[in-house]
Each structure stands twice: as structure tokens, then as C-alpha cells.
Amino acid sequence: MLTQEKITYKNSLEFAQQMDQKDPLKKFRDEFHIPLQKNGEPHVYLCGNSLGLQPKLTQTYIQQELDDWAKLGVEGHTEAKKPWMPYHEFLSESMAKIVGAKPSEVVVMNTLTTNLHLMMVSFYQPTPTRYKIVIEADAFPSDKYAVESQLKFHNIDPKDGLILWKPREGENLCRFEDLEQIVEDNRDKIALFMIGNTNYYSGQFYEMKKITELGHRNDIVVGFDLAHGAGNIQPNLHEVGADFAVWCTYKYLNSGPGSLGGCFVHERHAHNKELKRFVGWWGHNKDTRFNMRKEFDPIPGAEGWQLSNPPILSMAAIRSSLTVFDQAGFENIRKKAVLLTGYLEFLLDELQLEKINIITPRNPEERGCQLSIQVKNADKSLFTALTEKGVIADWREPDVIRVAPAPLYNSFEDVYKFVEILKSLC
Ligand SMILES: *Cc1c(COP(=O)(O)O)cnc(C)c1O
């Protein structure tokens, strides 16, 4: 539950600036590089759901690894200030906090879609009678492609094997009752729930615990894609009991374009050597990894799914970002997100424009910091005009602007300015 501060918002620049003054996280904005407009003013950057901004610390952390590589060459694996051999372990504790897991349940490796496939290799084991996969209708395209290709890999026609959890006619959000109905209608035929949480398009944060329990009651494996959840909402993966989850680190986790992804495997699977998987040497028992003639012996927990020795420069960026998250404290970040997103919602409502419709849930517990704003009859020219006025947001055809004030670096003033600019264009 969110303990929401009672706050009376006001529609003025002065109020926004007062909120910024009182913000316990205000100093963090200065710890990020905010992209500048041509006129030298900072952009109103509301696109942290697509690519998070760069923490200033990142350059120092990456430079450290470049220096160690220059000075030490291969010896850096053991002699670097942060030795490369166990480098991924330096990330586990902080990353575990971000997703509400135990450190042994998380590992940073590969990229999101790769991890999704690796997880499905292990956790999607269709039988002739139980083989269907449920995803939400507006799943991110990569997830849909990945799931369809897994079905085809097992010689299952996606038309038969893929079930879409859809919003009802005339609605934008998925209802839990409809997922229950899907389970009812496909009794003993569903093998996997693969749900993208928080939904990238609507910003809806599904009730993970209810979904997981529904799945498990019906012998369905439950996995989540937290690309839009990690660093945004608290998914509490361990407690929720999901079997696996995957996410990327370049959105709310501010770790740079294409940076490595995260992966969660619940501890109930940690020692199960029977679980099928695609493997590589980095997932092998650390004591005998370099004795390369042994049978594969997986490291217990999520680390056992690692394939390759990982890119240290990307991990350095993740370590820097997680340091900032640790300093700020995730609970504080979430608290500010609720206030900041609530302020954005309040100002949009104040516009009283019939053509503006927020499709993201109104309940703060059912969303993160993204609001998806439908502007009826608008086309991309509105978005282009916003960009010209210094707003960086995200446009989804046919008529939705997605804006995400990221609590670590966005201010109440950013939110105020965005709505003023939108108003001037509508
Ligand atoms: C951003 C995003 C991706 C991107 O996948 P990559 O493998 O990192 O390129 C996939 N799925 C979802 C839900 C996303 O939001």
C-alpha cells in the first residue's frame, strides 16, 4: 500500500517551485546530465521510460575500468580495483533491492529479449495438452515476437497457442476478471503467463500477486517482463512468488543505451538441476569454471543461467546507476513518483480539455510514473511541436503521448512547464 501524503496541488509555477524546494530528493537532479536545447536551456525531459539520463558518476566508474584495463591487461580479472571476474556480483545486492528479491535470485546478464528467451527455454515446457501462453494484448512487440517464436520452435501455431489478455471493447486497461475468465475457458491448457508489467503503452501496473496466485493455483508458470517496472514500481518479486522475471537497465535504471539486462529466478528453482536450460561457462560452478573439462555444474540461483563473461564497461554504468538508487533509497523515489505523477495528472485535469484523455489508471497503486495521454484527433504534428518547444517525450501512433517524470531527475517545475507547453499547443 502507498501511504499517500495529503497534498493540495496548485496550478502555478510558484507552487511547483515550492514543491521542488521541499523535495528531499532535489539534490539528485544535479547528479545527472540533463540534455540542453539549442538555446542552452535544459530540455523538459520526460522520456526516462525510453532512455534514462546519464548519472554524472557513470563516467568515473567507466573510466576506472578503462584505467585498470590499460594498467593491468588480463590481470584486471583479479587485480582491478573491482575485479572483473566477480564483477556481476557487485551488482546483485542493489539490483535485488530494486526488484524486491534476494541477491541470489537476481543476475545482470545479456539483454532483455535474450533473457526472455533463456527463461522460456527453462520455464516454457509445453506438453501436447498444456501448451498455451497468455500475454497482454498490448505487449511490447519484442515480447510478442519472442513468445511467438518460442511457440513455433515447439511446432505450435501461434494462432492456437497464443492467448491475448485484452481490454474490453471501448476500454484501455486490462481487467483481472478477464484473465480469470481466460483461465476458465482454457482449463489445463495454459502453460505460461508472460506479462509485461508495467505495461509500456498504457502505464498500467498489474496486480502481480493476484496474477501469480491465479497462475500457480492452475499449474501455470508465471513470468514478468519488468522493462517498464524496474526502477519505477516495486515489483516485490520474491514475495509475489513469480517464477522468473526479466528487465532492461537503460530505461528507469539509467544505465545507458543498450546496457545489460536483469534476470530473476525464484529461489524455489535455485537448486533444480533437472530444469532444462541453455548454458555457457559463466553459469558453471565458480570453483571449477577454469578446469574446463568438467561436466556442466550450474551455480545455484540466477547466476547459473549466465552464458558468457560479461561486458564490464556496461556493468560499470549499471553499478554507478545503482549507487545513485542506493543513495536516494527506492522508497523515497517511489514516494516522489506518486507526488510528481499526481501533479502531472492534476494539471492535465485542470486543462479541462475534452480531447485529452489519460488512459493510465487513476489509482496511484495501479501505475508507475508514466501517464499515457490520448489527444483525440491529434496527429504527430502535435508531438513535433512539443519537441520544438523543448519537450522530450514519446509518441505512439495513432494519438498517444507517453510522458514519464522520473523522480530522480525530474522536477515539479518540469511537469508544470510541460503542461503549459501542451496547453499552448492544444
Ligand atoms: C524496452 C522493452 C524491450 C526492449 O528489449 P531489448 O531486448 O532490451 O531491446 C522489450 N520489452 C519491453 C516490454 C520493453 O519495454
Side-chain angles (χ1 to χ4, degrees), residues 185-198:
D185 294 345
N186 295 275
R187 197 141 280 293
D188 300 329
K189 292 194 184 130
I190 302 171
L192 174 68
F193 283 169
M194 183 59 245
I195 309 287
N197 203 21
T198 310

Side-chain angles (χ1 to χ4, degrees), residues 158-196:
K159 282 203 199 80
D160 177 34
L162 188 63
I163 305 176
L164 299 181
W165 177 27
K166 290 186 192 135
R168 293 181 188 179
E169 191 71 35
E171 298 186 4
N172 290 301
L173 305 173
C174 291
R175 295 176 183 234
F176 181 71
E177 311 88 271
D178 294 347
L179 186 61
E180 289 179 308
Q181 192 60 47
I182 288 173
V183 172
E184 196 55 44
D185 294 345
N186 295 275
R187 197 141 280 293
D188 300 329
K189 292 194 184 130
I190 302 171
L192 174 68
F193 283 169
M194 183 59 245
I195 309 287

Side-chain angles (χ1 to χ4, degrees), residues 49-50 110-116 136 138-144 195-201 225-229 246-251 258-261 396 402:
N49 56 347
S50 183
N110 312 313
T111 46
L112 192 160
T113 310
T114 309
N115 288 336
L116 187 53
E136 80 275 35
D138 259 320
F140 193 86
S142 193
D143 300 46
K144 186 147 180 283
I195 309 287
N197 203 21
T198 310
N199 182 274
Y200 87 101
Y201 179 74
D225 179 341
L226 297 171
H228 283 262
V246 294
W247 58 95
C248 55
T249 60
Y250 47 81
K251 291 172 180 164
S259 205
L260 290 165
R396 291 284 144 163
R402 300 184 310 158

